[in-house]
Amino acid sequence: MTPSSVTLGIYEKALLHVEDWNQMFRQVVDAGFAFMDLSIDESPERLSRLEWTARQRAAFASAAHQEGAQVGGMCLSCHRRIGPGSASAGTRRRAAEIFRQAIDFCYDTAIPVIQVAGYYAYYEDPDPGQRERYVDSLAQAAQYAAQAGIMLGIENVDGNDVTSITKGLEICDEVHSAWLTMYPDIGNLAEQQLDTTAELHAGQGRMLSIHVKDVLPGEPRRIPLGSGSADFPAAFGELARQRWSGRMMLEMWNDDSPDSNRICVDARRRLTGWLDEAGIAVSDGPERRS
């Protein structure tokens, strides 16, 4: 059987923020990555990207192509604030609108994957109907995504909602759409102090892409790669056993550090070393033709 092979990407927030998209994608290539995942988070600036005109979307996609990079996916983390499982009907309508806008954006810019945050209604007090409303929202989004040919992948998150691959798969089974599966975050499994190997085993055959980041208990962000509690050798050993191949995105927040490129390069080299030890090859991805 064919061994595992992955294509490595980087999170937009790991890069030094510049207004020019050609310069952004140049950073991706200079740091040795094949793709970047775009962030649509809670901030008005990034959320407003969903309102881009056709010309702005075309320029964004063209910049990636010109610089020899890809946009591997969209991290739709704005649903942390605008909860699909909210008790407010108005908030749920806005969450549904965001799903449709995001799917349209990805269709227009040839982004194949949307990472769906596993938060029901993060800033609200829990109530018994949150999960059911979240599942209903995802079912509607998956139906629309299927028409556009865009995959949705649920990310297991920090907090108390979809905290594991196992919980995410239960939701996928309820929605029962070929266009909704898992986009696991290895770091978040460790932050929840779960058995990472067992969780990845449970996701076999149903993991679209994978997030890599380091964490500490109670600290799911901004932990330098290799200094936290995530057991990457064990995780990659399980992926190698499965012969899992796909896109693997390194998630970091360098907060516009002038050393962002060096930090990204050092992290990529460390990550590549672990993958090599597990017997997982790193690929540049499909060949691009001019």
Side-chain angles (χ1 to χ4, degrees), residues 26-55:
R26 206 167 299 142
Q27 291 181 70
V28 176
V29 176
D30 288 348
F33 293 94
F35 69 90
M36 180 192 82
D37 271 15
L38 181 72
S39 170
I40 304 294
D41 64 15
E42 303 174 40
S43 69
E45 176 194 4
R46 287 194 168 95
L47 190 56
S48 70
R49 292 171 174 177
L50 298 180
E51 308 288 345
W52 278 357
T53 65
R55 179 174 294 183

PDB file of all heavy atoms in Angstrom, residues 26-55:
ATOM      1  N   ARG A  26       3.806  35.487  -0.956  1.00  0.00           N
ATOM      2  CA  ARG A  26       5.247  35.337  -1.097  1.00  0.00           C
ATOM      3  C   ARG A  26       5.847  34.831   0.213  1.00  0.00           C
ATOM      4  O   ARG A  26       6.795  34.038   0.220  1.00  0.00           O
ATOM      5  CB  ARG A  26       5.861  36.676  -1.499  1.00  0.00           C
ATOM      6  CG  ARG A  26       7.182  36.570  -2.266  1.00  0.00           C
ATOM      7  CD  ARG A  26       7.546  37.912  -2.879  1.00  0.00           C
ATOM      8  NE  ARG A  26       6.524  38.365  -3.826  1.00  0.00           N
ATOM      9  CZ  ARG A  26       6.134  39.631  -3.965  1.00  0.00           C
ATOM     10  NH1 ARG A  26       6.668  40.583  -3.210  1.00  0.00           N
ATOM     11  NH2 ARG A  26       5.217  39.954  -4.850  1.00  0.00           N
ATOM     12  N   GLN A  27       5.296  35.282   1.336  1.00  0.00           N
ATOM     13  CA  GLN A  27       5.762  34.795   2.637  1.00  0.00           C
ATOM     14  C   GLN A  27       5.527  33.296   2.785  1.00  0.00           C
ATOM     15  O   GLN A  27       6.336  32.574   3.371  1.00  0.00           O
ATOM     16  CB  GLN A  27       5.043  35.527   3.769  1.00  0.00           C
ATOM     17  CG  GLN A  27       5.390  36.988   3.928  1.00  0.00           C
ATOM     18  CD  GLN A  27       4.630  37.595   5.099  1.00  0.00           C
ATOM     19  OE1 GLN A  27       4.897  37.286   6.263  1.00  0.00           O
ATOM     20  NE2 GLN A  27       3.659  38.455   4.807  1.00  0.00           N
ATOM     21  N   VAL A  28       4.388  32.827   2.276  1.00  0.00           N
ATOM     22  CA  VAL A  28       4.062  31.396   2.336  1.00  0.00           C
ATOM     23  C   VAL A  28       5.149  30.589   1.643  1.00  0.00           C
ATOM     24  O   VAL A  28       5.690  29.614   2.191  1.00  0.00           O
ATOM     25  CB  VAL A  28       2.688  31.128   1.685  1.00  0.00           C
ATOM     26  CG1 VAL A  28       2.391  29.633   1.649  1.00  0.00           C
ATOM     27  CG2 VAL A  28       1.582  31.879   2.418  1.00  0.00           C
ATOM     28  N   VAL A  29       5.472  31.006   0.422  1.00  0.00           N
ATOM     29  CA  VAL A  29       6.463  30.293  -0.378  1.00  0.00           C
ATOM     30  C   VAL A  29       7.856  30.432   0.229  1.00  0.00           C
ATOM     31  O   VAL A  29       8.613  29.451   0.315  1.00  0.00           O
ATOM     32  CB  VAL A  29       6.441  30.815  -1.832  1.00  0.00           C
ATOM     33  CG1 VAL A  29       7.534  30.160  -2.662  1.00  0.00           C
ATOM     34  CG2 VAL A  29       5.071  30.567  -2.465  1.00  0.00           C
ATOM     35  N   ASP A  30       8.207  31.638   0.683  1.00  0.00           N
ATOM     36  CA  ASP A  30       9.534  31.867   1.259  1.00  0.00           C
ATOM     37  C   ASP A  30       9.772  31.019   2.506  1.00  0.00           C
ATOM     38  O   ASP A  30      10.915  30.637   2.798  1.00  0.00           O
ATOM     39  CB  ASP A  30       9.711  33.348   1.609  1.00  0.00           C
ATOM     40  CG  ASP A  30       9.878  34.234   0.381  1.00  0.00           C
ATOM     41  OD1 ASP A  30      10.094  33.678  -0.728  1.00  0.00           O
ATOM     42  OD2 ASP A  30       9.777  35.466   0.516  1.00  0.00           O
ATOM     43  N   ALA A  31       8.705  30.740   3.249  1.00  0.00           N
ATOM     44  CA  ALA A  31       8.839  29.920   4.464  1.00  0.00           C
ATOM     45  C   ALA A  31       8.790  28.427   4.161  1.00  0.00           C
ATOM     46  O   ALA A  31       8.915  27.604   5.068  1.00  0.00           O
ATOM     47  CB  ALA A  31       7.744  30.284   5.472  1.00  0.00           C
ATOM     48  N   GLY A  32       8.600  28.068   2.890  1.00  0.00           N
ATOM     49  CA  GLY A  32       8.659  26.666   2.494  1.00  0.00           C
ATOM     50  C   GLY A  32       7.347  25.918   2.555  1.00  0.00           C
ATOM     51  O   GLY A  32       7.338  24.681   2.558  1.00  0.00           O
ATOM     52  N   PHE A  33       6.222  26.649   2.556  1.00  0.00           N
ATOM     53  CA  PHE A  33       4.912  26.002   2.614  1.00  0.00           C
ATOM     54  C   PHE A  33       4.244  26.002   1.240  1.00  0.00           C
ATOM     55  O   PHE A  33       4.527  26.861   0.391  1.00  0.00           O
ATOM     56  CB  PHE A  33       4.012  26.709   3.628  1.00  0.00           C
ATOM     57  CG  PHE A  33       4.485  26.557   5.047  1.00  0.00           C
ATOM     58  CD1 PHE A  33       5.302  27.525   5.630  1.00  0.00           C
ATOM     59  CD2 PHE A  33       4.150  25.442   5.789  1.00  0.00           C
ATOM     60  CE1 PHE A  33       5.754  27.391   6.929  1.00  0.00           C
ATOM     61  CE2 PHE A  33       4.599  25.294   7.096  1.00  0.00           C
ATOM     62  CZ  PHE A  33       5.407  26.269   7.670  1.00  0.00           C
ATOM     63  N   ALA A  34       3.340  25.070   1.055  1.00  0.00           N
ATOM     64  CA  ALA A  34       2.640  24.954  -0.221  1.00  0.00           C
ATOM     65  C   ALA A  34       1.355  25.764  -0.259  1.00  0.00           C
ATOM     66  O   ALA A  34       0.905  26.160  -1.331  1.00  0.00           O
ATOM     67  CB  ALA A  34       2.317  23.480  -0.513  1.00  0.00           C
ATOM     68  N   PHE A  35       0.755  25.995   0.909  1.00  0.00           N
ATOM     69  CA  PHE A  35      -0.527  26.692   0.931  1.00  0.00           C
ATOM     70  C   PHE A  35      -0.698  27.495   2.206  1.00  0.00           C
ATOM     71  O   PHE A  35       0.053  27.336   3.176  1.00  0.00           O
ATOM     72  CB  PHE A  35      -1.693  25.704   0.753  1.00  0.00           C
ATOM     73  CG  PHE A  35      -1.908  24.767   1.922  1.00  0.00           C
ATOM     74  CD1 PHE A  35      -2.751  25.112   2.970  1.00  0.00           C
ATOM     75  CD2 PHE A  35      -1.284  23.521   1.964  1.00  0.00           C
ATOM     76  CE1 PHE A  35      -2.963  24.257   4.039  1.00  0.00           C
ATOM     77  CE2 PHE A  35      -1.491  22.654   3.027  1.00  0.00           C
ATOM     78  CZ  PHE A  35      -2.330  23.015   4.071  1.00  0.00           C
ATOM     79  N   MET A  36      -1.696  28.348   2.198  1.00  0.00           N
ATOM     80  CA  MET A  36      -2.092  29.136   3.358  1.00  0.00           C
ATOM     81  C   MET A  36      -3.581  28.937   3.593  1.00  0.00           C
ATOM     82  O   MET A  36      -4.351  28.832   2.638  1.00  0.00           O
ATOM     83  CB  MET A  36      -1.824  30.629   3.103  1.00  0.00           C
ATOM     84  CG  MET A  36      -2.203  31.552   4.266  1.00  0.00           C
ATOM     85  SD  MET A  36      -2.189  33.308   3.781  1.00  0.00           S
ATOM     86  CE  MET A  36      -3.814  33.450   3.005  1.00  0.00           C
ATOM     87  N   ASP A  37      -3.973  28.879   4.856  1.00  0.00           N
ATOM     88  CA  ASP A  37      -5.392  28.877   5.197  1.00  0.00           C
ATOM     89  C   ASP A  37      -5.805  30.294   5.584  1.00  0.00           C
ATOM     90  O   ASP A  37      -5.167  30.929   6.433  1.00  0.00           O
ATOM     91  CB  ASP A  37      -5.678  27.907   6.346  1.00  0.00           C
ATOM     92  CG  ASP A  37      -5.977  26.499   5.841  1.00  0.00           C
ATOM     93  OD1 ASP A  37      -5.695  26.212   4.664  1.00  0.00           O
ATOM     94  OD2 ASP A  37      -6.491  25.680   6.637  1.00  0.00           O
ATOM     95  N   LEU A  38      -6.862  30.775   4.958  1.00  0.00           N
ATOM     96  CA  LEU A  38      -7.374  32.122   5.165  1.00  0.00           C
ATOM     97  C   LEU A  38      -8.218  32.178   6.436  1.00  0.00           C
ATOM     98  O   LEU A  38      -8.999  31.266   6.712  1.00  0.00           O
ATOM     99  CB  LEU A  38      -8.226  32.543   3.968  1.00  0.00           C
ATOM    100  CG  LEU A  38      -8.832  33.950   3.989  1.00  0.00           C
ATOM    101  CD1 LEU A  38      -7.745  34.992   3.767  1.00  0.00           C
ATOM    102  CD2 LEU A  38      -9.911  34.066   2.904  1.00  0.00           C
ATOM    103  N   SER A  39      -8.088  33.261   7.190  1.00  0.00           N
ATOM    104  CA  SER A  39      -8.857  33.427   8.425  1.00  0.00           C
ATOM    105  C   SER A  39     -10.057  34.341   8.206  1.00  0.00           C
ATOM    106  O   SER A  39      -9.916  35.463   7.725  1.00  0.00           O
ATOM    107  CB  SER A  39      -7.962  34.020   9.521  1.00  0.00           C
ATOM    108  OG  SER A  39      -8.733  34.396  10.647  1.00  0.00           O
ATOM    109  N   ILE A  40     -11.230  33.852   8.585  1.00  0.00           N
ATOM    110  CA  ILE A  40     -12.434  34.679   8.715  1.00  0.00           C
ATOM    111  C   ILE A  40     -12.834  34.569  10.183  1.00  0.00           C
ATOM    112  O   ILE A  40     -13.556  33.656  10.586  1.00  0.00           O
ATOM    113  CB  ILE A  40     -13.580  34.196   7.796  1.00  0.00           C
ATOM    114  CG1 ILE A  40     -13.114  34.136   6.336  1.00  0.00           C
ATOM    115  CG2 ILE A  40     -14.794  35.115   7.951  1.00  0.00           C
ATOM    116  CD1 ILE A  40     -12.786  35.476   5.714  1.00  0.00           C
ATOM    117  N   ASP A  41     -12.317  35.501  10.988  1.00  0.00           N
ATOM    118  CA  ASP A  41     -12.527  35.399  12.423  1.00  0.00           C
ATOM    119  C   ASP A  41     -13.563  36.418  12.912  1.00  0.00           C
ATOM    120  O   ASP A  41     -14.345  36.955  12.127  1.00  0.00           O
ATOM    121  CB  ASP A  41     -11.193  35.529  13.172  1.00  0.00           C
ATOM    122  CG  ASP A  41     -10.533  36.894  12.996  1.00  0.00           C
ATOM    123  OD1 ASP A  41     -11.207  37.845  12.540  1.00  0.00           O
ATOM    124  OD2 ASP A  41      -9.329  37.026  13.348  1.00  0.00           O
ATOM    125  N   GLU A  42     -13.555  36.677  14.213  1.00  0.00           N
ATOM    126  CA  GLU A  42     -14.563  37.551  14.813  1.00  0.00           C
ATOM    127  C   GLU A  42     -14.324  39.030  14.538  1.00  0.00           C
ATOM    128  O   GLU A  42     -15.227  39.848  14.755  1.00  0.00           O
ATOM    129  CB  GLU A  42     -14.573  37.347  16.336  1.00  0.00           C
ATOM    130  CG  GLU A  42     -14.824  35.930  16.777  1.00  0.00           C
ATOM    131  CD  GLU A  42     -14.687  35.770  18.282  1.00  0.00           C
ATOM    132  OE1 GLU A  42     -15.138  36.663  19.018  1.00  0.00           O
ATOM    133  OE2 GLU A  42     -14.117  34.758  18.728  1.00  0.00           O
ATOM    134  N   SER A  43     -13.135  39.400  14.093  1.00  0.00           N
ATOM    135  CA  SER A  43     -12.821  40.813  13.895  1.00  0.00           C
ATOM    136  C   SER A  43     -13.598  41.377  12.707  1.00  0.00           C
ATOM    137  O   SER A  43     -13.807  40.690  11.701  1.00  0.00           O
ATOM    138  CB  SER A  43     -11.319  40.997  13.647  1.00  0.00           C
ATOM    139  OG  SER A  43     -10.943  40.452  12.399  1.00  0.00           O
ATOM    140  N   PRO A  44     -14.052  42.627  12.802  1.00  0.00           N
ATOM    141  CA  PRO A  44     -14.779  43.242  11.677  1.00  0.00           C
ATOM    142  C   PRO A  44     -13.967  43.228  10.387  1.00  0.00           C
ATOM    143  O   PRO A  44     -14.530  43.031   9.301  1.00  0.00           O
ATOM    144  CB  PRO A  44     -15.032  44.674  12.162  1.00  0.00           C
ATOM    145  CG  PRO A  44     -15.022  44.582  13.655  1.00  0.00           C
ATOM    146  CD  PRO A  44     -14.000  43.533  13.978  1.00  0.00           C
ATOM    147  N   GLU A  45     -12.658  43.408  10.489  1.00  0.00           N
ATOM    148  CA  GLU A  45     -11.816  43.448   9.297  1.00  0.00           C
ATOM    149  C   GLU A  45     -11.871  42.131   8.529  1.00  0.00           C
ATOM    150  O   GLU A  45     -12.111  42.110   7.310  1.00  0.00           O
ATOM    151  CB  GLU A  45     -10.364  43.749   9.679  1.00  0.00           C
ATOM    152  CG  GLU A  45      -9.400  43.711   8.496  1.00  0.00           C
ATOM    153  CD  GLU A  45      -7.940  43.681   8.909  1.00  0.00           C
ATOM    154  OE1 GLU A  45      -7.652  43.611  10.118  1.00  0.00           O
ATOM    155  OE2 GLU A  45      -7.090  43.699   7.999  1.00  0.00           O
ATOM    156  N   ARG A  46     -11.653  41.036   9.244  1.00  0.00           N
ATOM    157  CA  ARG A  46     -11.619  39.748   8.547  1.00  0.00           C
ATOM    158  C   ARG A  46     -13.019  39.269   8.184  1.00  0.00           C
ATOM    159  O   ARG A  46     -13.214  38.630   7.149  1.00  0.00           O
ATOM    160  CB  ARG A  46     -10.871  38.718   9.388  1.00  0.00           C
ATOM    161  CG  ARG A  46      -9.358  38.958   9.406  1.00  0.00           C
ATOM    162  CD  ARG A  46      -8.605  37.759   9.943  1.00  0.00           C
ATOM    163  NE  ARG A  46      -7.169  37.878   9.694  1.00  0.00           N
ATOM    164  CZ  ARG A  46      -6.284  38.362  10.556  1.00  0.00           C
ATOM    165  NH1 ARG A  46      -6.703  38.771  11.753  1.00  0.00           N
ATOM    166  NH2 ARG A  46      -5.011  38.446  10.249  1.00  0.00           N
ATOM    167  N   LEU A  47     -14.004  39.563   9.021  1.00  0.00           N
ATOM    168  CA  LEU A  47     -15.380  39.171   8.699  1.00  0.00           C
ATOM    169  C   LEU A  47     -15.870  39.890   7.447  1.00  0.00           C
ATOM    170  O   LEU A  47     -16.639  39.328   6.653  1.00  0.00           O
ATOM    171  CB  LEU A  47     -16.292  39.470   9.891  1.00  0.00           C
ATOM    172  CG  LEU A  47     -17.719  38.931   9.841  1.00  0.00           C
ATOM    173  CD1 LEU A  47     -17.744  37.423   9.622  1.00  0.00           C
ATOM    174  CD2 LEU A  47     -18.453  39.284  11.131  1.00  0.00           C
ATOM    175  N   SER A  48     -15.409  41.106   7.240  1.00  0.00           N
ATOM    176  CA  SER A  48     -15.850  41.885   6.073  1.00  0.00           C
ATOM    177  C   SER A  48     -15.349  41.305   4.758  1.00  0.00           C
ATOM    178  O   SER A  48     -15.831  41.677   3.684  1.00  0.00           O
ATOM    179  CB  SER A  48     -15.391  43.335   6.196  1.00  0.00           C
ATOM    180  OG  SER A  48     -13.986  43.451   6.053  1.00  0.00           O
ATOM    181  N   ARG A  49     -14.385  40.395   4.824  1.00  0.00           N
ATOM    182  CA  ARG A  49     -13.904  39.752   3.593  1.00  0.00           C
ATOM    183  C   ARG A  49     -15.026  39.008   2.873  1.00  0.00           C
ATOM    184  O   ARG A  49     -14.981  38.845   1.657  1.00  0.00           O
ATOM    185  CB  ARG A  49     -12.765  38.790   3.915  1.00  0.00           C
ATOM    186  CG  ARG A  49     -11.502  39.480   4.384  1.00  0.00           C
ATOM    187  CD  ARG A  49     -10.484  38.478   4.903  1.00  0.00           C
ATOM    188  NE  ARG A  49      -9.208  39.131   5.214  1.00  0.00           N
ATOM    189  CZ  ARG A  49      -8.160  38.517   5.735  1.00  0.00           C
ATOM    190  NH1 ARG A  49      -8.239  37.215   6.022  1.00  0.00           N
ATOM    191  NH2 ARG A  49      -7.048  39.177   5.979  1.00  0.00           N
ATOM    192  N   LEU A  50     -16.003  38.547   3.636  1.00  0.00           N
ATOM    193  CA  LEU A  50     -17.124  37.844   3.016  1.00  0.00           C
ATOM    194  C   LEU A  50     -17.960  38.759   2.136  1.00  0.00           C
ATOM    195  O   LEU A  50     -18.782  38.285   1.341  1.00  0.00           O
ATOM    196  CB  LEU A  50     -18.008  37.200   4.089  1.00  0.00           C
ATOM    197  CG  LEU A  50     -17.322  36.133   4.961  1.00  0.00           C
ATOM    198  CD1 LEU A  50     -18.309  35.572   5.981  1.00  0.00           C
ATOM    199  CD2 LEU A  50     -16.749  35.003   4.104  1.00  0.00           C
ATOM    200  N   GLU A  51     -17.752  40.072   2.262  1.00  0.00           N
ATOM    201  CA  GLU A  51     -18.469  41.055   1.451  1.00  0.00           C
ATOM    202  C   GLU A  51     -17.653  41.510   0.241  1.00  0.00           C
ATOM    203  O   GLU A  51     -18.091  42.402  -0.490  1.00  0.00           O
ATOM    204  CB  GLU A  51     -18.807  42.291   2.315  1.00  0.00           C
ATOM    205  CG  GLU A  51     -19.512  41.997   3.626  1.00  0.00           C
ATOM    206  CD  GLU A  51     -20.949  41.565   3.440  1.00  0.00           C
ATOM    207  OE1 GLU A  51     -21.494  41.764   2.334  1.00  0.00           O
ATOM    208  OE2 GLU A  51     -21.527  41.024   4.408  1.00  0.00           O
ATOM    209  N   TRP A  52     -16.501  40.921   0.021  1.00  0.00           N
ATOM    210  CA  TRP A  52     -15.671  41.326  -1.107  1.00  0.00           C
ATOM    211  C   TRP A  52     -16.436  41.257  -2.429  1.00  0.00           C
ATOM    212  O   TRP A  52     -17.260  40.351  -2.640  1.00  0.00           O
ATOM    213  CB  TRP A  52     -14.448  40.432  -1.228  1.00  0.00           C
ATOM    214  CG  TRP A  52     -13.316  40.793  -0.321  1.00  0.00           C
ATOM    215  CD1 TRP A  52     -13.232  41.838   0.535  1.00  0.00           C
ATOM    216  CD2 TRP A  52     -12.089  40.063  -0.183  1.00  0.00           C
ATOM    217  NE1 TRP A  52     -12.030  41.821   1.193  1.00  0.00           N
ATOM    218  CE2 TRP A  52     -11.314  40.756   0.784  1.00  0.00           C
ATOM    219  CE3 TRP A  52     -11.577  38.905  -0.765  1.00  0.00           C
ATOM    220  CZ2 TRP A  52     -10.046  40.313   1.157  1.00  0.00           C
ATOM    221  CZ3 TRP A  52     -10.314  38.468  -0.401  1.00  0.00           C
ATOM    222  CH2 TRP A  52      -9.561  39.171   0.553  1.00  0.00           C
ATOM    223  N   THR A  53     -16.100  42.160  -3.322  1.00  0.00           N
ATOM    224  CA  THR A  53     -16.677  42.151  -4.670  1.00  0.00           C
ATOM    225  C   THR A  53     -16.041  41.029  -5.488  1.00  0.00           C
ATOM    226  O   THR A  53     -15.019  40.435  -5.099  1.00  0.00           O
ATOM    227  CB  THR A  53     -16.409  43.487  -5.370  1.00  0.00           C
ATOM    228  OG1 THR A  53     -14.989  43.629  -5.557  1.00  0.00           O
ATOM    229  CG2 THR A  53     -16.950  44.663  -4.555  1.00  0.00           C
ATOM    230  N   ALA A  54     -16.627  40.771  -6.636  1.00  0.00           N
ATOM    231  CA  ALA A  54     -16.069  39.763  -7.546  1.00  0.00           C
ATOM    232  C   ALA A  54     -14.651  40.130  -7.948  1.00  0.00           C
ATOM    233  O   ALA A  54     -13.770  39.257  -8.058  1.00  0.00           O
ATOM    234  CB  ALA A  54     -16.960  39.625  -8.777  1.00  0.00           C
ATOM    235  N   ARG A  55     -14.385  41.429  -8.145  1.00  0.00           N
ATOM    236  CA  ARG A  55     -13.042  41.858  -8.535  1.00  0.00           C
ATOM    237  C   ARG A  55     -12.043  41.607  -7.410  1.00  0.00           C
ATOM    238  O   ARG A  55     -10.917  41.154  -7.658  1.00  0.00           O
ATOM    239  CB  ARG A  55     -13.067  43.343  -8.906  1.00  0.00           C
ATOM    240  CG  ARG A  55     -11.698  43.905  -9.298  1.00  0.00           C
ATOM    241  CD  ARG A  55     -11.802  45.329  -9.799  1.00  0.00           C
ATOM    242  NE  ARG A  55     -12.543  45.410 -11.048  1.00  0.00           N
ATOM    243  CZ  ARG A  55     -12.735  46.533 -11.732  1.00  0.00           C
ATOM    244  NH1 ARG A  55     -12.277  47.692 -11.253  1.00  0.00           N
ATOM    245  NH2 ARG A  55     -13.408  46.521 -12.865  1.00  0.00           N
TER     246      ARG A  55
END
